[in-house]
């Protein structure tokens, strides 16, 4: 197939790219990519026991610093969720009874507030959320916890209010978002790696075991389901992960975020009409393109990993090859397949590199198939005036260069047993049209 108009290599080595799904324009210019992916931490110190357990609000010793916990995963051999037990709505006086490997909590500072859904959609507190709120506040420890978290919220926004001064009605109104809000955070247990010795040894996705990463993914998918069930006005749940401050993370503590919104998002608005006119667009400019250009990194029974093009930053794409095109409709094996390749991508990139993880899938109420894919974008450069003035983005590493950088690291990780079994590079057989959700039979 012709690469025009989406991918052109010029005689001087410049690569001009247009993302076929979003229309984003990207240039890779020779000579600007001769830099390592990661930068060593410059100011570090030895870790203390306090650092390991209480370095930030997401750490294990600070469970009462975050809003009431919606869900947690507790490691147990034979547990139904990838070797973990799932517990919902843990009460304040039981927070310390088990050790959560991952937990789902409300974001204290929502992108779309609970008031947004109340005032714009006339939404009332759902019965299940109201019952949980009443149960939580009826416990003295739960009430004290909620008032304490409200204090932190009031202080952060410069309010003179105090949680201790709120009457029963005001307390319930002020805390409603904790029990019915649409912006959740999935938090991992560790802030630093277990074997780490300095503050440079932060624990990102690459530090997780294969099973831990599978559990992390499974809880994220379960949380998407809960957010959709909770609010009938939700059109899309935006799932993403910001790793390290240059990628937008408030804390250098591993977490994913989920935000329920009442639109499908600009990317979907761009690609959905194209997919209606050309049902093969995802295969053609996803895995098929990667095969032709030597950009396939890995393959397993349910997913394929490729280097992407037309992104503002060097990017790895993980595509689900199953028929289901919404994460919560994918079976456990399919979710694990996506998890294993995504985990391998994180290991190859390393936890030293700031990165954004973006999830894409078919929005609710949309008939055209949209394969589930996760894009890992490496935030190794800063957008500047050229990009702002032209909306042409300079990506410092070409797709082929990124593939050449990551493949040896994937082979090393597989040999060391750090990632799940999978085919790598030339071992991968990726047939044309491998994305079944994107093909109309």
């Amino acid at each position: 197939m012709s690469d025009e108009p989406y991918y052109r290599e010029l005689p001087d080595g410049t690569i001009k790219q247009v993302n076929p799904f979003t229309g984003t324009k990207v240039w890779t210019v020779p000579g600007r990519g001769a830099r390592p992916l990661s930068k060593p931490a410059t100011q570090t110190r030895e870790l203390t026991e306090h650092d390991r357990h209480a370095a930030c609000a997401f750490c294990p010793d600070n469970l009462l610093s975050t809003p009431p916990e919606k869900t947690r995963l507790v490691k147990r051999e034979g547990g139904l969720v990838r070797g973990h037990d799932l517990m919902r709505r843990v009460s304040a006086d039981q927070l310390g009874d088990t050790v959560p490997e991952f937990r789902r909590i409300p974001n204290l500072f929502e992108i779309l507030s609970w008031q947004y859904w109340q005032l714009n959609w006339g939404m009332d507190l759902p019965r299940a959320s109201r019952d949980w709120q009443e149960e939580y506040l009826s416990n003295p420890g739960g009430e004290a916890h909620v008032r304490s978290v409200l204090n932190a919220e009031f202080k952060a926004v410069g309010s003179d209010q105090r949680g201790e001064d709120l009457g029963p009605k005001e307390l319930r109104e002020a805390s409603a978002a904790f029990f019915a809000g649409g912006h959740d955070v999935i938090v991992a247990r560790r802030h630093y790696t277990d074997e780490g010795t300095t503050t440079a040894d932060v624990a990102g996705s690459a530090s997780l075991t294969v099973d831990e990463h599978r559990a992390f993914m499974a809880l994220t998918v379960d949380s998407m389901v809960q957010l959709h069930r909770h609010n009938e006005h939700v059109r899309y749940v935006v799932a993403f992960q910001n790793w390290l401050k240059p990628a937008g993370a408030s804390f250098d503590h591993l977490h994913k975020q989920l935000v329920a919104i009442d639109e499908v998002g600009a990317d979907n608005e761009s690609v959905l009409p194209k997919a209606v006119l050309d049902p093969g667009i995802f295969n053609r400019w996803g895995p098929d393109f990667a095969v032709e250009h030597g950009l396939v990194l890995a393959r397993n029974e349910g997913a394929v990993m490729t280097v992407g093009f037309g992104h503002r930053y060097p990017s790895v794409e993980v595509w689900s090859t199953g028929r289901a095109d919404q994460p919560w409709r994918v079976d456990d094996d399919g979710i694990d397949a996506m998890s294993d390749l995504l985990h391998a991508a994180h290991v190859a990139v390393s936890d030293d590199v700031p990165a954004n993880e973006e999830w894409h899938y078919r929005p609710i109420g949309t008939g055209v198939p949209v394969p589930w894919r996760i894009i890992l974008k490496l935030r190794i450069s800063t957008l500047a005036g050229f990009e702002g003035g032209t909306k042409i983005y300079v990506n410092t590493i070409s797709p082929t260069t990124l593939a050449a950088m990551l493949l040896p690291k994937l082979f090393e990780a597989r040999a060391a047993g750090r990632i799940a079994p999978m085919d790598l590079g030339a071992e991968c057989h990726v047939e044309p049209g491998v994305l079944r959700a994107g093909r109309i039979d």
Side-chain angles (χ1 to χ4, degrees), residues 200-211:
D201 298 318
V202 287
S205 292
S207 72
L208 300 177
T209 67
V210 171
D211 285 341

PDB file of all heavy atoms in Angstrom, residues 200-211:
ATOM      1  N   ALA A 200      15.824   7.655  44.058  1.00  0.00           N
ATOM      2  CA  ALA A 200      15.720   7.476  42.606  1.00  0.00           C
ATOM      3  C   ALA A 200      14.984   6.193  42.251  1.00  0.00           C
ATOM      4  O   ALA A 200      14.540   6.025  41.105  1.00  0.00           O
ATOM      5  CB  ALA A 200      17.107   7.458  41.973  1.00  0.00           C
ATOM      6  N   ASP A 201      14.810   5.292  43.217  1.00  0.00           N
ATOM      7  CA  ASP A 201      14.256   3.962  42.950  1.00  0.00           C
ATOM      8  C   ASP A 201      12.739   3.937  43.100  1.00  0.00           C
ATOM      9  O   ASP A 201      12.176   3.149  43.869  1.00  0.00           O
ATOM     10  CB  ASP A 201      14.904   2.939  43.883  1.00  0.00           C
ATOM     11  CG  ASP A 201      16.399   2.822  43.673  1.00  0.00           C
ATOM     12  OD1 ASP A 201      16.834   2.818  42.509  1.00  0.00           O
ATOM     13  OD2 ASP A 201      17.136   2.767  44.679  1.00  0.00           O
ATOM     14  N   VAL A 202      12.054   4.812  42.352  1.00  0.00           N
ATOM     15  CA  VAL A 202      10.599   4.833  42.405  1.00  0.00           C
ATOM     16  C   VAL A 202      10.043   3.590  41.710  1.00  0.00           C
ATOM     17  O   VAL A 202      10.648   3.044  40.788  1.00  0.00           O
ATOM     18  CB  VAL A 202      10.041   6.115  41.755  1.00  0.00           C
ATOM     19  CG1 VAL A 202      10.289   7.319  42.637  1.00  0.00           C
ATOM     20  CG2 VAL A 202      10.640   6.339  40.372  1.00  0.00           C
ATOM     21  N   ALA A 203       8.871   3.151  42.153  1.00  0.00           N
ATOM     22  CA  ALA A 203       8.292   1.893  41.680  1.00  0.00           C
ATOM     23  C   ALA A 203       7.196   2.178  40.665  1.00  0.00           C
ATOM     24  O   ALA A 203       6.058   2.485  41.024  1.00  0.00           O
ATOM     25  CB  ALA A 203       7.729   1.093  42.862  1.00  0.00           C
ATOM     26  N   GLY A 204       7.535   2.080  39.384  1.00  0.00           N
ATOM     27  CA  GLY A 204       6.553   2.262  38.326  1.00  0.00           C
ATOM     28  C   GLY A 204       6.031   0.935  37.821  1.00  0.00           C
ATOM     29  O   GLY A 204       6.218  -0.126  38.439  1.00  0.00           O
ATOM     30  N   SER A 205       5.385   0.959  36.676  1.00  0.00           N
ATOM     31  CA  SER A 205       4.807  -0.263  36.108  1.00  0.00           C
ATOM     32  C   SER A 205       5.854  -1.320  35.827  1.00  0.00           C
ATOM     33  O   SER A 205       5.591  -2.517  35.925  1.00  0.00           O
ATOM     34  CB  SER A 205       4.057   0.067  34.822  1.00  0.00           C
ATOM     35  OG  SER A 205       2.897   0.832  35.083  1.00  0.00           O
ATOM     36  N   ALA A 206       7.072  -0.897  35.467  1.00  0.00           N
ATOM     37  CA  ALA A 206       8.129  -1.861  35.164  1.00  0.00           C
ATOM     38  C   ALA A 206       8.559  -2.647  36.388  1.00  0.00           C
ATOM     39  O   ALA A 206       9.130  -3.734  36.262  1.00  0.00           O
ATOM     40  CB  ALA A 206       9.329  -1.142  34.549  1.00  0.00           C
ATOM     41  N   SER A 207       8.297  -2.116  37.580  1.00  0.00           N
ATOM     42  CA  SER A 207       8.702  -2.800  38.804  1.00  0.00           C
ATOM     43  C   SER A 207       7.721  -3.884  39.223  1.00  0.00           C
ATOM     44  O   SER A 207       8.013  -4.692  40.106  1.00  0.00           O
ATOM     45  CB  SER A 207       8.852  -1.784  39.948  1.00  0.00           C
ATOM     46  OG  SER A 207       7.581  -1.312  40.374  1.00  0.00           O
ATOM     47  N   LEU A 208       6.535  -3.909  38.606  1.00  0.00           N
ATOM     48  CA  LEU A 208       5.535  -4.908  38.952  1.00  0.00           C
ATOM     49  C   LEU A 208       5.892  -6.257  38.341  1.00  0.00           C
ATOM     50  O   LEU A 208       6.542  -6.336  37.295  1.00  0.00           O
ATOM     51  CB  LEU A 208       4.152  -4.480  38.446  1.00  0.00           C
ATOM     52  CG  LEU A 208       3.592  -3.159  38.970  1.00  0.00           C
ATOM     53  CD1 LEU A 208       2.243  -2.869  38.303  1.00  0.00           C
ATOM     54  CD2 LEU A 208       3.439  -3.180  40.485  1.00  0.00           C
ATOM     55  N   THR A 209       5.449  -7.325  38.986  1.00  0.00           N
ATOM     56  CA  THR A 209       5.550  -8.643  38.381  1.00  0.00           C
ATOM     57  C   THR A 209       4.460  -8.782  37.326  1.00  0.00           C
ATOM     58  O   THR A 209       3.541  -7.955  37.237  1.00  0.00           O
ATOM     59  CB  THR A 209       5.386  -9.752  39.425  1.00  0.00           C
ATOM     60  OG1 THR A 209       4.035  -9.714  39.927  1.00  0.00           O
ATOM     61  CG2 THR A 209       6.368  -9.582  40.574  1.00  0.00           C
ATOM     62  N   VAL A 210       4.544  -9.835  36.522  1.00  0.00           N
ATOM     63  CA  VAL A 210       3.518 -10.076  35.510  1.00  0.00           C
ATOM     64  C   VAL A 210       2.148 -10.188  36.154  1.00  0.00           C
ATOM     65  O   VAL A 210       1.164  -9.579  35.695  1.00  0.00           O
ATOM     66  CB  VAL A 210       3.849 -11.356  34.708  1.00  0.00           C
ATOM     67  CG1 VAL A 210       2.683 -11.756  33.805  1.00  0.00           C
ATOM     68  CG2 VAL A 210       5.112 -11.145  33.879  1.00  0.00           C
ATOM     69  N   ASP A 211       2.036 -10.955  37.249  1.00  0.00           N
ATOM     70  CA  ASP A 211       0.737 -11.140  37.900  1.00  0.00           C
ATOM     71  C   ASP A 211       0.248  -9.849  38.549  1.00  0.00           C
ATOM     72  O   ASP A 211      -0.963  -9.566  38.544  1.00  0.00           O
ATOM     73  CB  ASP A 211       0.819 -12.246  38.950  1.00  0.00           C
ATOM     74  CG  ASP A 211       0.871 -13.638  38.319  1.00  0.00           C
ATOM     75  OD1 ASP A 211       0.486 -13.770  37.141  1.00  0.00           O
ATOM     76  OD2 ASP A 211       1.287 -14.590  39.013  1.00  0.00           O
TER      77      ASP A 211
END
